[in-house]
Amino acid sequence: MKNRIAELRSDRAWTQADVALRLGVSRQTINAIETGKFHPSLPVAFRLARLFELTVDELFSDEQ
């Protein structure tokens, strides 16, 4: 599953650690989600979408 997290994070000059802190997860979790090695749980996906002021559909894509 592709996502726009790295792009959106970069636009805001946030580090992976910044996003992790805001969501209450580890930096490694953010890295794994960004690189597609891990798919977030639904609650984490919704928190990410709210953080970036997008819908889950706008943040994540099932394109390979």
Side-chain angles (χ1 to χ4, degrees), residues 33 38-48 60:
I33 294 170
F38 174 76
H39 300 302
S41 66
L42 200 50
V44 171
F46 277 107
R47 288 197 320 252
L48 277 164
F60 294 95

Side-chain angles (χ1 to χ4, degrees), residues 6-63:
E7 165 197 347
L8 295 165
R9 188 174 54 71
S10 177
D11 290 347
R12 290 162 175 78
W14 291 348
T15 65
Q16 288 179 341
D18 293 331
V19 174
L21 184 63
R22 286 172 166 84
L23 296 182
V25 300
S26 70
R27 185 204 56 80
Q28 291 85 351
T29 297
I30 299 303
N31 179 270
I33 294 170
E34 281 187 8
T35 59
K37 295 178 184 171
F38 174 76
H39 300 302
S41 66
L42 200 50
V44 171
F46 277 107
R47 288 197 320 252
L48 277 164
R50 276 194 302 271
L51 179 65
F52 292 111
E53 300 177 338
L54 298 170
T55 66
V56 172
D57 285 346
E58 292 170 324
L59 187 57
F60 294 95
S61 166
D62 63 358
E63 294 177 13

